[in-house]
Amino acid sequence: MKYAYYPGCSLRGTGRAYEESLLAVFRALEIDIEEVDDWNCCGATTYMSVDELMSYALAARNLALAERNHVDLIAPCAACYLVLNKTQHYMREYPSIQLVVTRALDAIGLRYRDLVKVRHPLDVLLNDVGVATIAARVKVPLKGLKVAPYYGCQIVRPYATFDDQREPTSMDQLLEACGAKTVRYPLKTRCCGGSQKGTLPEVGLDLIHYLLMEAQRNGAEVISTVCPLCQFNLESFQKEAGDRHHPTSVPVLYFSQLLALALGAAPDEIGLQRGFVPIEPVLAGREIAYA
Amino acid sequence: MELKRTVKFEADRDPEFARWVSQTVGGERIRHCLQCGLCSGKCPLSLYMDYTPRRLMHLSREGFKEEVLGSTSIWLCTACYACMVECPKKINVTHLLYALKERAIEEGRYPRRFAIPIMARQFSRMVRGRGRITESWLVVQVFMRTAIWRLLGMSRLGLKLLRTGRMPLRMETIQRRAEIATLLDSVATTRKELAL
């Protein structure tokens, strides 16, 4: 089976390691992907507050482009995943939105027939590949590495059907298939503040801190994320949040980096060198070569 | 001592605003709100808000426009959808918050140099012009227009991002960038035609 792939803007910037590691996972598991031709920004959460209708049209251009070749579209970024899903829902529910978007697509020679299924990599790995297959392909088991599985908001809420909206476990299962041990993490779906750190810094720092503190308190050696913004917030502002509250030192990796490691990828091809919080102590003595 | 009436009178309501709320995408089920407060309880930002989501729901449907559009809640909402998932009446709380934010930006109800509307505007400009967002450039543009001194404080982070290859200096651009303007202009035209 071949999937269309929509990286989104963050995976070409601060979230580069997400794309690098995800592609390594896909290669190791022989998942065939094709990047959506000339894709554009989905509008994220920001465009929605400027002009809702226009944001649906932006998202729909990507859906229409993906649909030309494939049915299943993989969207790894939490915001993209949500926005693409939301656009589909609203085009179905509101004839006026459907009309506006259809006309806009028509103006650039595109047509959308509502065939695309927007999928998250967690969903694809769990339901199309399966835990057993992944476990069988593990080359370097994570040997009980204690991981706090952090899902954040927009993957599971409000549209995801592949996991529970309050108590998701898909990432837990994948990590455990690789030999990691997930710790209790009741804040796993709580918001990291999104862009609040940039706009209302005090509030952003509070939210970031609770998440880090909770992970550290529950014995996590590393936090595993599925969203470029969550990863960026928890990692880049960890020191600042620590100065304001209590210091923490928890590396924050993408779930795909942990998976790729277990599947035998080299640390520098999955962006481990791009992190800010040192991960050497975590990987020491685990037979994972890291220069 | 400045004394202010703390109880709201029915005469303070703006029925036109209440009607608008109930017709927005997200507001159509607001009449069903039970005022149970699950939205406020689940909201990770409610402890910073002047009007928690539950109160905001009530104020909006009754048409207390000044209170609603002047509320800090509009800007605190991060669209995490915790409220929407919990709502027993399936009210699209998050989507309504988006509509309120859009309206507040439209009416210019925010402090000068306030980062959120400025970021929203810069974001939409970059998408229109280039089709994609280059995060680093967006952040620089926003701080230039809001709090330029904070850029200095961020230079260390910037350098770290540069060193780790997470801050491309070249702006990302799609190939058929004219399509984006055509697409967005078409939305504007249809909206006018259908008076949406």
Side-chain angles (χ1 to χ4, degrees), chain A residues 9-10 13-14 16 37-41 45 49 51 61 86 90 94 99 103-104 153-154 157 166 191 196 206 231 235 274, chain B residues 25 28 45 48 76 78-81 85-86 95 98 101-102 131-133 135 164-166 174-176 179 186 191 193-194:
Chain A
C9 305
S10 287
T14 53
R16 252 179 96 178
D37 163 53
D38 206 34
W39 56 268
N40 59 272
C41 168
T45 45
S49 46
D51 194 307
R61 178 174 178 273
K86 182 174 178 174
Y90 276 30
Y94 296 90
L99 179 69
R103 277 203 197 173
C153 3
Q154 301 193 332
R157 290 193 299 262
R166 296 184 183 82
C191 177
Q196 262 349 358
D206 281 2
Q231 197 280 339
E235 180 190 53
R274 301 191 193 282
Chain B
V25 169
E28 60 273 270
L45 277 317
Y48 302 95
L76 281 159
T78 59
C80 82
Y81 293 86
V85 167
E86 295 305 321
H95 297 160
Y98 267 127
K101 197 189 282 180
E102 194 178 332
R132 285 185 197 167
I133 291 295
E135 296 155 318
T164 50
R166 293 163 69 178
I174 65 168
Q175 289 154 25
R176 303 187 292 274
E179 283 190 17
S186 159
R191 175 162 41 207
E193 258 177 57
L194 303 176

Short mmCIF file of all heavy atoms in Angstrom, two decimals, chain A residues 9-10 13-14 16 37-41 45 49 51 61 86 90 94 99 103-104 153-154 157 166 191 196 206 231 235 274, chain B residues 25 28 45 48 76 78-81 85-86 95 98 101-102 131-133 135 164-166 174-176 179 186 191 193-194:
data_model
loop_
_atom_site.label_atom_id
_atom_site.label_comp_id
_atom_site.label_asym_id
_atom_site.label_seq_id
_atom_site.Cartn_x
_atom_site.Cartn_y
_atom_site.Cartn_z
N CYS A 9 4.77 22.59 7.29
CA CYS A 9 5.88 23.55 7.35
C CYS A 9 6.87 23.27 8.48
O CYS A 9 8.07 23.40 8.31
CB CYS A 9 5.34 24.97 7.51
SG CYS A 9 4.15 25.43 6.23
N SER A 10 6.36 22.89 9.66
CA SER A 10 7.25 22.71 10.81
C SER A 10 8.28 21.62 10.58
O SER A 10 9.39 21.69 11.09
CB SER A 10 6.45 22.37 12.06
OG SER A 10 5.76 23.50 12.50
N GLY A 13 11.33 22.89 9.31
CA GLY A 13 12.02 23.89 10.13
C GLY A 13 12.44 23.31 11.46
O GLY A 13 13.27 22.41 11.51
N THR A 14 11.79 23.80 12.53
CA THR A 14 12.18 23.35 13.87
C THR A 14 11.97 21.85 14.05
O THR A 14 12.63 21.23 14.86
CB THR A 14 11.37 24.09 14.95
OG1 THR A 14 9.99 23.95 14.64
CG2 THR A 14 11.74 25.56 15.00
N ARG A 16 12.55 19.36 11.97
CA ARG A 16 13.26 18.54 10.97
C ARG A 16 13.50 17.11 11.43
O ARG A 16 13.39 16.17 10.65
CB ARG A 16 14.60 19.19 10.65
CG ARG A 16 14.64 19.81 9.30
CD ARG A 16 15.98 20.44 9.06
NE ARG A 16 16.86 19.54 8.33
CZ ARG A 16 18.10 19.89 7.98
NH1 ARG A 16 18.55 21.06 8.31
NH2 ARG A 16 18.85 19.05 7.31
N ASP A 37 2.35 16.73 -4.12
CA ASP A 37 2.97 17.64 -5.06
C ASP A 37 2.67 19.11 -4.72
O ASP A 37 1.51 19.49 -4.60
CB ASP A 37 2.41 17.31 -6.47
CG ASP A 37 2.65 18.42 -7.46
OD1 ASP A 37 3.82 18.83 -7.59
OD2 ASP A 37 1.68 18.89 -8.09
N ASP A 38 3.72 19.88 -4.51
CA ASP A 38 3.60 21.33 -4.29
C ASP A 38 2.59 21.71 -3.19
O ASP A 38 1.83 22.67 -3.33
CB ASP A 38 3.21 22.03 -5.60
CG ASP A 38 3.68 23.48 -5.63
OD1 ASP A 38 4.74 23.78 -5.05
OD2 ASP A 38 2.97 24.32 -6.20
N TRP A 39 2.60 20.95 -2.10
CA TRP A 39 1.68 21.22 -0.99
C TRP A 39 1.89 22.60 -0.40
O TRP A 39 2.98 23.16 -0.48
CB TRP A 39 1.83 20.14 0.10
CG TRP A 39 3.23 20.02 0.63
CD1 TRP A 39 4.21 19.18 0.17
CD2 TRP A 39 3.84 20.75 1.70
NE1 TRP A 39 5.37 19.34 0.88
CE2 TRP A 39 5.18 20.30 1.82
CE3 TRP A 39 3.38 21.75 2.58
CZ2 TRP A 39 6.07 20.81 2.78
CZ3 TRP A 39 4.27 22.25 3.53
CH2 TRP A 39 5.59 21.80 3.62
N ASN A 40 0.82 23.15 0.20
CA ASN A 40 0.94 24.47 0.84
C ASN A 40 0.62 24.36 2.32
O ASN A 40 0.16 23.32 2.79
CB ASN A 40 0.00 25.47 0.17
CG ASN A 40 -1.45 25.05 0.23
OD1 ASN A 40 -1.93 24.33 -0.65
ND2 ASN A 40 -2.16 25.45 1.27
N CYS A 41 0.86 25.45 3.05
CA CYS A 41 0.56 25.49 4.49
C CYS A 41 -0.91 25.19 4.72
O CYS A 41 -1.77 25.67 3.99
CB CYS A 41 0.91 26.88 5.03
SG CYS A 41 0.30 27.20 6.70
N THR A 45 -3.41 26.61 13.38
CA THR A 45 -4.44 27.18 14.25
C THR A 45 -4.54 28.69 14.03
O THR A 45 -5.51 29.31 14.44
CB THR A 45 -4.11 26.93 15.74
OG1 THR A 45 -2.74 27.22 15.94
CG2 THR A 45 -4.39 25.52 16.14
N SER A 49 -8.11 31.98 12.90
CA SER A 49 -8.62 33.15 13.61
C SER A 49 -8.57 34.41 12.75
O SER A 49 -9.03 35.47 13.16
CB SER A 49 -7.86 33.35 14.93
OG SER A 49 -6.48 33.23 14.74
N ASP A 51 -9.35 34.19 9.11
CA ASP A 51 -10.44 33.98 8.17
C ASP A 51 -10.70 32.49 8.03
O ASP A 51 -9.93 31.76 7.40
CB ASP A 51 -10.07 34.58 6.81
CG ASP A 51 -11.28 34.68 5.91
OD1 ASP A 51 -11.96 33.66 5.73
OD2 ASP A 51 -11.54 35.78 5.40
N ARG A 61 -6.88 22.57 -0.77
CA ARG A 61 -5.96 22.46 -1.91
C ARG A 61 -5.06 21.23 -1.72
O ARG A 61 -4.82 20.47 -2.67
CB ARG A 61 -5.11 23.72 -2.06
CG ARG A 61 -4.12 23.64 -3.21
CD ARG A 61 -3.37 24.95 -3.44
NE ARG A 61 -2.38 24.84 -4.51
CZ ARG A 61 -1.13 24.41 -4.34
NH1 ARG A 61 -0.71 24.08 -3.13
NH2 ARG A 61 -0.31 24.32 -5.36
N LYS A 86 -10.61 18.61 10.06
CA LYS A 86 -11.66 19.57 10.34
C LYS A 86 -12.28 20.08 9.03
O LYS A 86 -13.50 20.21 8.91
CB LYS A 86 -11.05 20.74 11.12
CG LYS A 86 -12.03 21.80 11.53
CD LYS A 86 -11.33 22.81 12.42
CE LYS A 86 -12.26 23.93 12.82
NZ LYS A 86 -11.64 24.83 13.79
N TYR A 90 -16.19 19.86 8.03
CA TYR A 90 -17.00 21.05 7.79
C TYR A 90 -17.51 21.13 6.36
O TYR A 90 -18.59 21.62 6.11
CB TYR A 90 -16.23 22.30 8.21
CG TYR A 90 -16.40 22.53 9.70
CD1 TYR A 90 -16.60 21.45 10.55
CD2 TYR A 90 -16.42 23.80 10.25
CE1 TYR A 90 -16.79 21.63 11.91
CE2 TYR A 90 -16.62 23.98 11.62
CZ TYR A 90 -16.79 22.89 12.43
OH TYR A 90 -17.00 23.07 13.77
N TYR A 94 -21.50 21.56 6.21
CA TYR A 94 -22.04 22.87 5.82
C TYR A 94 -21.97 23.05 4.30
O TYR A 94 -20.90 23.28 3.74
CB TYR A 94 -21.23 23.99 6.49
CG TYR A 94 -21.34 23.99 7.99
CD1 TYR A 94 -20.43 23.27 8.76
CD2 TYR A 94 -22.33 24.70 8.64
CE1 TYR A 94 -20.53 23.25 10.14
CE2 TYR A 94 -22.44 24.70 10.01
CZ TYR A 94 -21.52 23.97 10.76
OH TYR A 94 -21.62 23.96 12.12
N LEU A 99 -19.52 24.80 -0.90
CA LEU A 99 -19.67 25.57 -2.13
C LEU A 99 -18.51 26.55 -2.32
O LEU A 99 -17.90 26.62 -3.40
CB LEU A 99 -21.00 26.34 -2.10
CG LEU A 99 -21.28 27.22 -3.31
CD1 LEU A 99 -21.53 26.36 -4.53
CD2 LEU A 99 -22.48 28.14 -3.06
N ARG A 103 -15.65 26.12 -5.32
CA ARG A 103 -15.43 27.17 -6.32
C ARG A 103 -13.98 27.65 -6.31
O ARG A 103 -13.39 27.91 -7.36
CB ARG A 103 -16.32 28.37 -6.00
CG ARG A 103 -17.71 28.22 -6.55
CD ARG A 103 -18.31 29.60 -6.70
NE ARG A 103 -19.74 29.54 -6.82
CZ ARG A 103 -20.51 30.62 -6.83
NH1 ARG A 103 -19.95 31.81 -6.64
NH2 ARG A 103 -21.81 30.51 -6.96
N ALA A 104 -13.43 27.78 -5.09
CA ALA A 104 -12.05 28.25 -4.98
C ALA A 104 -11.09 27.26 -5.63
O ALA A 104 -10.17 27.64 -6.35
CB ALA A 104 -11.69 28.48 -3.52
N CYS A 153 -2.68 17.90 22.37
CA CYS A 153 -4.12 18.04 22.12
C CYS A 153 -4.59 17.54 20.76
O CYS A 153 -5.48 16.73 20.66
CB CYS A 153 -4.59 19.47 22.25
SG CYS A 153 -3.36 20.68 22.60
N GLN A 154 -3.99 18.06 19.70
CA GLN A 154 -4.72 18.03 18.43
C GLN A 154 -4.65 16.71 17.67
O GLN A 154 -5.30 16.56 16.65
CB GLN A 154 -4.28 19.19 17.56
CG GLN A 154 -4.53 20.51 18.30
CD GLN A 154 -4.41 21.73 17.41
OE1 GLN A 154 -3.68 21.71 16.45
NE2 GLN A 154 -5.15 22.78 17.74
N ARG A 157 -7.82 14.90 19.76
CA ARG A 157 -9.04 15.71 19.85
C ARG A 157 -9.17 16.62 18.64
O ARG A 157 -8.17 17.21 18.22
CB ARG A 157 -8.99 16.59 21.11
CG ARG A 157 -9.13 15.82 22.40
CD ARG A 157 -9.39 16.78 23.53
NE ARG A 157 -8.30 17.72 23.71
CZ ARG A 157 -7.32 17.58 24.59
NH1 ARG A 157 -7.28 16.53 25.38
NH2 ARG A 157 -6.37 18.49 24.71
N ARG A 166 -9.55 10.61 25.62
CA ARG A 166 -9.12 11.01 26.97
C ARG A 166 -7.90 10.22 27.43
O ARG A 166 -7.07 10.72 28.16
CB ARG A 166 -10.26 10.81 27.96
CG ARG A 166 -11.44 11.69 27.68
CD ARG A 166 -12.49 11.52 28.75
NE ARG A 166 -13.67 12.31 28.43
CZ ARG A 166 -14.63 11.94 27.61
NH1 ARG A 166 -14.55 10.76 27.01
NH2 ARG A 166 -15.67 12.71 27.38
N CYS A 191 -2.72 20.34 27.13
CA CYS A 191 -2.11 21.28 26.18
C CYS A 191 -0.78 21.85 26.69
O CYS A 191 -0.64 22.17 27.86
CB CYS A 191 -3.10 22.41 25.93
SG CYS A 191 -2.49 23.69 24.86
N GLN A 196 1.48 30.09 22.88
CA GLN A 196 1.35 30.99 24.02
C GLN A 196 2.71 31.46 24.56
O GLN A 196 2.83 32.58 25.02
CB GLN A 196 0.66 30.28 25.18
CG GLN A 196 -0.76 30.40 25.49
CD GLN A 196 -1.66 31.42 24.87
OE1 GLN A 196 -1.29 32.24 24.07
NE2 GLN A 196 -2.89 31.34 25.25
N ASP A 206 4.19 28.38 32.42
CA ASP A 206 3.50 27.57 33.44
C ASP A 206 3.09 26.22 32.86
O ASP A 206 3.37 25.17 33.43
CB ASP A 206 2.25 28.29 33.95
CG ASP A 206 2.58 29.38 34.95
OD1 ASP A 206 3.78 29.60 35.21
OD2 ASP A 206 1.64 30.02 35.48
N GLN A 231 7.10 19.48 21.04
CA GLN A 231 8.51 19.13 21.19
C GLN A 231 9.33 20.39 21.39
O GLN A 231 10.15 20.48 22.29
CB GLN A 231 8.99 18.36 19.94
CG GLN A 231 10.29 17.59 20.12
CD GLN A 231 11.52 18.48 20.00
OE1 GLN A 231 11.48 19.56 19.44
NE2 GLN A 231 12.63 18.03 20.56
N GLU A 235 11.20 21.40 25.02
CA GLU A 235 12.64 21.33 24.99
C GLU A 235 13.29 22.71 25.09
O GLU A 235 14.11 22.96 25.97
CB GLU A 235 13.07 20.66 23.69
CG GLU A 235 14.55 20.53 23.57
CD GLU A 235 14.96 20.08 22.20
OE1 GLU A 235 14.55 20.71 21.21
OE2 GLU A 235 15.69 19.09 22.11
N ARG A 274 20.10 17.10 16.86
CA ARG A 274 19.42 18.39 16.77
C ARG A 274 18.77 18.84 18.08
O ARG A 274 18.17 19.90 18.16
CB ARG A 274 18.36 18.36 15.68
CG ARG A 274 18.91 18.03 14.31
CD ARG A 274 17.88 18.28 13.23
NE ARG A 274 18.30 17.67 11.97
CZ ARG A 274 19.21 18.20 11.16
NH1 ARG A 274 19.79 19.33 11.48
NH2 ARG A 274 19.54 17.59 10.04
N VAL B 25 -20.34 29.22 12.80
CA VAL B 25 -19.98 27.81 12.81
C VAL B 25 -19.44 27.53 14.21
O VAL B 25 -18.42 28.07 14.60
CB VAL B 25 -18.90 27.52 11.75
CG1 VAL B 25 -18.32 26.13 11.93
CG2 VAL B 25 -19.47 27.70 10.36
N GLU B 28 -24.05 27.30 16.79
CA GLU B 28 -25.45 26.95 16.52
C GLU B 28 -26.12 26.10 17.60
O GLU B 28 -27.32 26.10 17.72
CB GLU B 28 -25.62 26.30 15.14
CG GLU B 28 -24.87 25.01 14.87
CD GLU B 28 -23.47 25.25 14.36
OE1 GLU B 28 -23.27 25.34 13.14
OE2 GLU B 28 -22.57 25.32 15.21
N LEU B 45 -6.46 26.59 30.55
CA LEU B 45 -6.19 28.02 30.65
C LEU B 45 -7.21 28.76 31.49
O LEU B 45 -7.07 29.95 31.75
CB LEU B 45 -6.18 28.65 29.25
CG LEU B 45 -4.92 28.57 28.38
CD1 LEU B 45 -3.68 28.86 29.20
CD2 LEU B 45 -4.75 27.26 27.68
N TYR B 48 -6.54 31.32 34.21
CA TYR B 48 -6.00 32.65 33.90
C TYR B 48 -7.06 33.59 33.33
O TYR B 48 -6.79 34.74 33.05
CB TYR B 48 -4.87 32.54 32.87
CG TYR B 48 -3.73 31.64 33.30
CD1 TYR B 48 -3.68 30.30 32.94
CD2 TYR B 48 -2.70 32.15 34.08
CE1 TYR B 48 -2.63 29.49 33.33
CE2 TYR B 48 -1.65 31.35 34.49
CZ TYR B 48 -1.63 30.01 34.11
OH TYR B 48 -0.59 29.22 34.51
N LEU B 76 -6.56 33.69 25.37
CA LEU B 76 -5.91 32.61 26.09
C LEU B 76 -6.17 31.24 25.47
O LEU B 76 -5.37 30.33 25.60
CB LEU B 76 -6.36 32.60 27.55
CG LEU B 76 -5.65 33.64 28.43
CD1 LEU B 76 -6.47 33.94 29.68
CD2 LEU B 76 -4.26 33.16 28.82
N THR B 78 -6.09 28.13 23.41
CA THR B 78 -5.07 27.61 22.50
C THR B 78 -5.67 26.62 21.51
O THR B 78 -4.94 25.98 20.76
CB THR B 78 -3.97 26.85 23.28
OG1 THR B 78 -4.59 25.79 24.00
CG2 THR B 78 -3.25 27.76 24.24
N ALA B 79 -7.00 26.48 21.53
CA ALA B 79 -7.68 25.53 20.65
C ALA B 79 -7.20 24.10 20.91
O ALA B 79 -6.83 23.39 19.98
CB ALA B 79 -7.49 25.89 19.18
N CYS B 80 -7.20 23.69 22.17
CA CYS B 80 -6.77 22.32 22.49
C CYS B 80 -7.93 21.34 22.47
O CYS B 80 -7.74 20.15 22.60
CB CYS B 80 -6.05 22.28 23.84
SG CYS B 80 -7.14 22.20 25.28
N TYR B 81 -9.15 21.87 22.34
CA TYR B 81 -10.36 21.04 22.17
C TYR B 81 -10.75 20.21 23.37
O TYR B 81 -11.60 19.32 23.26
CB TYR B 81 -10.25 20.14 20.93
CG TYR B 81 -10.24 20.90 19.64
CD1 TYR B 81 -9.06 21.42 19.11
CD2 TYR B 81 -11.42 21.15 18.94
CE1 TYR B 81 -9.05 22.15 17.94
CE2 TYR B 81 -11.41 21.88 17.76
CZ TYR B 81 -10.22 22.37 17.26
OH TYR B 81 -10.21 23.09 16.11
N VAL B 85 -14.56 18.08 23.64
CA VAL B 85 -14.65 16.64 23.84
C VAL B 85 -15.54 16.32 25.04
O VAL B 85 -16.28 15.34 25.05
CB VAL B 85 -13.23 16.03 24.02
CG1 VAL B 85 -13.30 14.62 24.55
CG2 VAL B 85 -12.48 16.08 22.71
N GLU B 86 -15.48 17.19 26.05
CA GLU B 86 -16.24 16.92 27.28
C GLU B 86 -17.70 17.35 27.21
O GLU B 86 -18.53 16.83 27.95
CB GLU B 86 -15.58 17.63 28.47
CG GLU B 86 -14.20 17.13 28.81
CD GLU B 86 -14.14 15.62 29.06
OE1 GLU B 86 -15.07 15.06 29.68
OE2 GLU B 86 -13.15 15.00 28.62
N HIS B 95 -14.68 26.01 18.41
CA HIS B 95 -14.96 26.69 17.15
C HIS B 95 -15.60 28.05 17.40
O HIS B 95 -15.35 29.02 16.68
CB HIS B 95 -15.83 25.82 16.26
CG HIS B 95 -15.15 24.55 15.86
ND1 HIS B 95 -15.83 23.45 15.41
CD2 HIS B 95 -13.84 24.21 15.88
CE1 HIS B 95 -14.95 22.48 15.15
NE2 HIS B 95 -13.75 22.92 15.44
N TYR B 98 -12.95 30.47 18.22
CA TYR B 98 -12.31 30.93 16.99
C TYR B 98 -13.10 32.07 16.36
O TYR B 98 -12.55 33.09 15.93
CB TYR B 98 -12.22 29.80 15.96
CG TYR B 98 -10.93 29.02 15.99
CD1 TYR B 98 -10.93 27.64 16.11
CD2 TYR B 98 -9.70 29.66 15.87
CE1 TYR B 98 -9.76 26.90 16.12
CE2 TYR B 98 -8.52 28.93 15.88
CZ TYR B 98 -8.55 27.56 16.00
OH TYR B 98 -7.39 26.85 16.00
N LYS B 101 -12.65 35.18 18.30
CA LYS B 101 -11.33 35.77 18.07
C LYS B 101 -11.29 36.50 16.73
O LYS B 101 -10.79 37.61 16.63
CB LYS B 101 -10.27 34.65 18.11
CG LYS B 101 -8.86 35.17 18.30
CD LYS B 101 -7.82 34.08 18.12
CE LYS B 101 -7.69 33.16 19.31
NZ LYS B 101 -6.67 32.11 19.11
N GLU B 102 -11.86 35.85 15.73
CA GLU B 102 -11.90 36.46 14.40
C GLU B 102 -12.63 37.80 14.47
O GLU B 102 -12.19 38.81 13.92
CB GLU B 102 -12.60 35.51 13.42
CG GLU B 102 -12.42 35.86 11.97
CD GLU B 102 -13.09 34.86 11.01
OE1 GLU B 102 -13.22 33.66 11.38
OE2 GLU B 102 -13.48 35.26 9.91
N GLY B 131 2.92 30.61 0.21
CA GLY B 131 2.28 29.30 0.24
C GLY B 131 2.67 28.46 1.43
O GLY B 131 1.99 27.50 1.78
N ARG B 132 3.79 28.80 2.06
CA ARG B 132 4.22 28.05 3.24
C ARG B 132 4.74 29.01 4.31
O ARG B 132 5.00 30.17 4.03
CB ARG B 132 5.36 27.08 2.88
CG ARG B 132 4.86 25.88 2.12
CD ARG B 132 5.95 24.86 1.87
NE ARG B 132 5.50 23.96 0.80
CZ ARG B 132 6.27 23.12 0.16
NH1 ARG B 132 7.56 23.05 0.45
NH2 ARG B 132 5.78 22.34 -0.79
N ILE B 133 4.89 28.46 5.51
CA ILE B 133 5.40 29.25 6.63
C ILE B 133 6.85 28.86 6.91
O ILE B 133 7.18 27.68 6.98
CB ILE B 133 4.56 28.99 7.90
CG1 ILE B 133 3.16 29.57 7.75
CG2 ILE B 133 5.24 29.56 9.15
CD1 ILE B 133 3.09 31.08 7.64
N GLU B 135 9.02 29.27 9.95
CA GLU B 135 8.77 29.66 11.35
C GLU B 135 9.69 30.78 11.83
O GLU B 135 9.25 31.74 12.47
CB GLU B 135 8.94 28.45 12.26
CG GLU B 135 7.95 27.34 12.01
CD GLU B 135 8.50 25.99 12.45
OE1 GLU B 135 9.69 25.71 12.20
OE2 GLU B 135 7.74 25.23 13.08
N THR B 164 21.86 23.66 15.06
CA THR B 164 21.33 22.30 14.93
C THR B 164 20.56 22.12 13.62
O THR B 164 19.86 21.12 13.44
CB THR B 164 20.41 21.95 16.12
OG1 THR B 164 19.48 23.01 16.28
CG2 THR B 164 21.20 21.77 17.40
N GLY B 165 20.65 23.11 12.75
CA GLY B 165 20.01 22.99 11.45
C GLY B 165 18.49 23.05 11.47
O GLY B 165 17.81 22.52 10.61
N ARG B 166 17.94 23.70 12.52
CA ARG B 166 16.48 23.76 12.63
C ARG B 166 15.92 25.12 12.24
O ARG B 166 14.75 25.39 12.44
CB ARG B 166 16.06 23.40 14.07
CG ARG B 166 16.39 21.94 14.40
CD ARG B 166 16.37 21.68 15.88
NE ARG B 166 15.02 21.77 16.43
CZ ARG B 166 14.74 21.54 17.71
NH1 ARG B 166 15.69 21.20 18.55
NH2 ARG B 166 13.52 21.65 18.16
N ILE B 174 6.27 27.69 -2.28
CA ILE B 174 5.78 26.64 -3.17
C ILE B 174 6.07 27.04 -4.62
O ILE B 174 6.40 28.19 -4.90
CB ILE B 174 4.28 26.34 -2.97
CG1 ILE B 174 3.40 27.52 -3.33
CG2 ILE B 174 4.01 25.91 -1.54
CD1 ILE B 174 1.93 27.16 -3.41
N GLN B 175 5.94 26.07 -5.52
CA GLN B 175 6.26 26.38 -6.92
C GLN B 175 5.17 27.22 -7.58
O GLN B 175 5.45 28.21 -8.23
CB GLN B 175 6.42 25.07 -7.72
CG GLN B 175 7.69 24.31 -7.38
CD GLN B 175 7.55 22.82 -7.64
OE1 GLN B 175 6.73 22.39 -8.45
NE2 GLN B 175 8.34 22.03 -6.94
N ARG B 176 3.93 26.80 -7.39
CA ARG B 176 2.84 27.53 -8.05
C ARG B 176 2.22 28.53 -7.08
O ARG B 176 1.07 28.41 -6.70
CB ARG B 176 1.80 26.51 -8.54
CG ARG B 176 2.39 25.45 -9.47
CD ARG B 176 1.34 24.54 -10.07
NE ARG B 176 0.69 23.65 -9.11
CZ ARG B 176 1.16 22.46 -8.74
NH1 ARG B 176 2.30 22.01 -9.24
NH2 ARG B 176 0.52 21.70 -7.87
N GLU B 179 -1.20 30.38 -7.33
CA GLU B 179 -2.45 29.66 -7.06
C GLU B 179 -3.06 30.04 -5.72
O GLU B 179 -4.28 30.05 -5.57
CB GLU B 179 -2.18 28.14 -7.06
CG GLU B 179 -2.05 27.57 -8.45
CD GLU B 179 -2.02 26.04 -8.44
OE1 GLU B 179 -2.42 25.41 -7.43
OE2 GLU B 179 -1.59 25.48 -9.45
N SER B 186 -10.80 33.92 -4.68
CA SER B 186 -12.06 33.28 -5.04
C SER B 186 -12.97 33.13 -3.83
O SER B 186 -14.18 33.34 -3.91
CB SER B 186 -11.80 31.91 -5.68
OG SER B 186 -12.96 31.11 -5.60
N ARG B 191 -17.85 34.68 -1.14
CA ARG B 191 -18.45 35.13 0.12
C ARG B 191 -19.29 36.38 -0.11
O ARG B 191 -20.39 36.51 0.41
CB ARG B 191 -17.35 35.41 1.14
CG ARG B 191 -17.91 35.99 2.42
CD ARG B 191 -17.00 35.90 3.59
NE ARG B 191 -15.63 36.20 3.25
CZ ARG B 191 -14.59 35.71 3.91
NH1 ARG B 191 -14.77 34.92 4.93
NH2 ARG B 191 -13.37 36.03 3.56
N GLU B 193 -20.65 37.37 -2.95
CA GLU B 193 -21.81 37.00 -3.78
C GLU B 193 -22.92 36.40 -2.95
O GLU B 193 -24.10 36.70 -3.13
CB GLU B 193 -21.35 35.94 -4.78
CG GLU B 193 -21.12 36.46 -6.17
CD GLU B 193 -20.61 35.31 -7.03
OE1 GLU B 193 -21.32 34.27 -7.12
OE2 GLU B 193 -19.51 35.45 -7.55
N LEU B 194 -22.55 35.50 -2.04
CA LEU B 194 -23.56 34.79 -1.26
C LEU B 194 -23.86 35.49 0.06
O LEU B 194 -24.66 35.00 0.85
CB LEU B 194 -23.09 33.36 -0.97
CG LEU B 194 -22.73 32.50 -2.18
CD1 LEU B 194 -22.18 31.17 -1.72
CD2 LEU B 194 -23.95 32.29 -3.07
#
